[in-house]
Amino acid sequence: MTQIAATGWPGVEHTPHAPLKARAARALLKPTVNRLPVQVRFAGGGTWGAGDDSSARMDVLRPKALFHRLGADSKIGLGEAYMAGDWTVGENTDLAQLLTPFAERMATLVPVPLQRFRVFVDQQLPHQQRNSVEGSRRNIEAHYDLSNDLFAQFLDPSMSYSAAWFDGDEDLESAQMRKIDGILDQAGVTAGTRVLEIGSGWGALAIRAAQRGAQVTTITISTEQATLAEKRFAEAGVDVDLQLIDYRDITGEYDAIVSVEMIEAVGEEYWPTYFAAIDRLLAPGGKVSIQAITMAHHRYLKTRNSYGWIQKYIFPGGLIPSLEAIDENLAEHTSLAVTDRRSLGQDYARTLHEWRSAFTRNWEHIQEQGFDETFRRMWEFYLAYCEAGFAVGYLDVFQLQLTRPKEA
């Protein structure tokens, strides 16, 4: 388990000094906020926003620090300022509720005429976050190996860390099982099917597939997840072949290949390798089902070469594709094509809300593991930020079936 100490947050502990950029950030942000149905209240007086007293409210406790952070790095500054406590939510305001109006207007928060200059402010992904074999292991460890106990405090009993698929008012665990069954059905998994799962998580899908009578191989590069998954396989009484191996190194032939929200951690540079590996491993007549977070293609093109808060603090090396980018990679590097798809975007907003509620409810137990208040605010912002993105459709998530159409 990675210990998160009370210090060791250099981007948070030290407020950048960028007076000219801070003034520019303030000048750009004010007219934008004044068009939004929110209130932004500043310590010492002053209010921005088109909202009223019933609207979502941001309380800026340290205005100078906030604008210096935004000026120094517009894509990272808001999240770091929340982590540092420079701003917080107002009374009776939920964090995702506050972030939603911003997410709805994400493409125009910076005036369109000024967007041409983003090339001068966007940071490139650090070289150490490249998803080579070794880089992937470091990136995965930075998030998934934090602590199994941490994730157990906010995930449902299945330990599924991806979008659920709800039907009415059912609970999260049932919705996660529906999601898993949707993936397995899309891949045609039945008794005797040779299944490969790329990205084991904590084993819920592998268990479900084995319970169908499938021959299951699941692979991961997270040692923490592998340890708990093996324990869960034994408790469930299923026979699953778990291998601690990178997807680039797996061999064999499989009737069905499944991969849930793993493509986001592959990195654009390695998408051709990822899809080519799936194509190589899939038996004639086989089916693939992947669950992938996506964004609109024009947004993907604008963000593909930039480094943001999520990549710095949550998912190093991560990049969200578009459906078009997936189609292009399949066409150029495989014999596969998307033959069925199902959106779970609104289900993800609900999933994230439930995770955040559980995280907050169980914070005392999480804190006992050695995680500090900066970590708490970081994860609150992460979960709420993503919830808002899915709620307004800035982000989506799809279950995609891939087959070789000529074999159909």
Side-chain angles (χ1 to χ4, degrees):
M1 166 183 153
T2 302
Q3 291 291 330
I4 305 297
T7 58
W9 300 92
V12 177
E13 293 169 0
H14 306 292
T15 304
H17 182 67
L20 292 178
K21 292 181 178 179
R23 286 198 291 272
R26 185 185 182 99
L28 287 172
L29 189 60
K30 184 175 182 178
T32 298
V33 171
N34 282 338
R35 295 192 298 269
L36 300 183
V38 300
Q39 276 198 357
V40 178
R41 296 185 184 179
F42 293 91
T47 301
W48 291 359
D52 55 29
D53 288 344
S54 65
S55 302
R57 193 179 92 214
M58 173 191 289
D59 288 345
V60 181
L61 308 178
R62 293 189 286 270
K64 181 177 179 181
L66 170 64
F67 291 117
H68 276 261
R69 291 184 195 277
L70 289 172
D73 196 320
S74 60
K75 298 191 71 174
I76 293 174
L78 185 67
E80 286 190 339
Y82 185 78
M83 293 166 65
D86 297 336
W87 67 273
T88 189
V89 292
E91 187 177 2
N92 298 321
T93 295
D94 176 78
L95 182 55
Q97 175 194 13
L98 173 65
L99 294 174
T100 294
F102 293 90
E104 286 178 320
R105 299 158 179 83
M106 188 71 75
T108 56
L109 287 177
V110 175
V112 174
L114 296 179
Q115 291 183 18
R116 72 187 72 175
F117 299 110
R118 70 177 296 155
V119 66
F120 299 109
V121 298
D122 275 352
Q123 295 186 49
Q124 297 293 307
L125 187 72
H127 181 77
Q128 63 268 28
Q129 287 195 12
R130 288 182 63 245
N131 286 289
S132 61
V133 174
E134 287 303 315
S136 290
R137 192 176 300 277
R138 286 194 303 270
N139 291 339
I140 291 299
E141 287 175 351
H143 186 81
Y144 294 94
D145 284 2
L146 281 170
S147 161
N148 288 334
D149 290 338
L150 162 68
F151 289 96
Q153 292 300 323
F154 69 90
L155 299 180
D156 71 283
S158 77
M159 293 288 285
S160 295
Y161 190 37
S162 51
W165 181 12
F166 289 93
D167 182 15
D169 295 328
E170 69 182 333
D171 63 27
L172 181 57
E173 184 177 14
S174 298
Q176 290 290 8
M177 290 300 102
R178 175 173 289 99
K179 177 272 299 295
I180 290 172
D181 284 336
I183 290 283
L184 296 177
D185 291 344
Q186 207 174 51
V189 175
T190 59
T193 302
R194 297 170 298 172
V195 178
L196 172 65
E197 179 187 24
I198 301 176
S200 306
W202 287 276
L205 188 147
I207 291 171
R208 195 76 160 180
Q211 289 171 340
R212 291 190 178 199
Q215 302 173 35
V216 184
T217 299
T218 184
I219 65 172
T220 183
I221 55 175
S222 168
T223 54
E224 287 282 316
Q225 287 188 322
T227 299
L228 183 54
E230 289 279 24
K231 180 181 177 182
R232 287 162 57 84
F233 297 154
E235 291 172 348
V238 296
D239 183 16
V240 174
D241 176 22
L242 186 150
Q243 299 182 32
L244 201 60
I245 190 173
D246 190 276
Y247 69 90
R248 285 161 279 213
D249 298 324
I250 191 70
T251 59
E253 184 178 77
Y254 302 89
D255 307 307
I257 299 176
V258 294
S259 188
V260 178
E261 294 180 26
M262 194 275 192
I263 187 174
E264 306 84 2
V266 170
E268 183 182 46
E269 179 183 1
Y270 295 98
W271 286 341
T273 306
Y274 171 77
F275 285 118
I278 290 174
D279 194 27
R280 168 176 57 84
L281 296 162
L282 188 66
K287 295 179 181 179
V288 179
S289 180
I290 67 171
Q291 186 161 306
I293 298 172
T294 66
M295 64 170 55
H297 192 59
H298 70 278
R299 292 173 185 148
Y300 151 72
L301 292 175
K302 288 181 179 179
T303 60
R304 62 196 289 201
N305 294 316
S306 61
Y307 179 57
W309 184 88
I310 287 284
Q311 291 160 315
K312 181 173 182 178
Y313 286 101
I314 306 298
F315 294 114
L319 178 64
I320 295 173
S322 64
L323 290 173
E324 290 87 342
I326 291 173
D327 286 339
E328 290 170 6
N329 274 272
L330 291 172
E332 293 177 15
H333 303 287
T334 77
S335 61
L336 301 168
V338 175
T339 47
D340 183 46
R341 70 185 193 185
R342 174 188 300 123
S343 170
L344 304 179
Q346 291 306 304
D347 298 85
Y348 218 157
R350 181 172 167 184
T351 302
L352 285 153
H353 186 79
E354 295 213 17
W355 287 347
R356 185 161 56 94
S357 295
F359 181 90
T360 301
R361 191 168 57 248
N362 296 325
W363 169 246
E364 184 177 334
H365 299 292
I366 295 170
Q367 190 175 33
E368 290 171 355
Q369 299 177 42
F371 296 98
D372 67 9
E373 286 295 313
T374 304
F375 180 89
R376 177 183 64 81
R377 295 178 68 83
M378 177 176 73
W379 271 64
E380 285 178 349
F381 188 83
Y382 150 53
L383 294 170
Y385 177 81
C386 292
E387 179 186 338
F390 283 105
V392 303
Y394 186 85
L395 299 174
D396 208 333
V397 60
F398 286 90
Q399 292 185 340
L400 302 174
Q401 181 192 67
L402 316 181
T403 62
R404 298 187 180 103
K406 294 179 181 180
E407 296 180 353

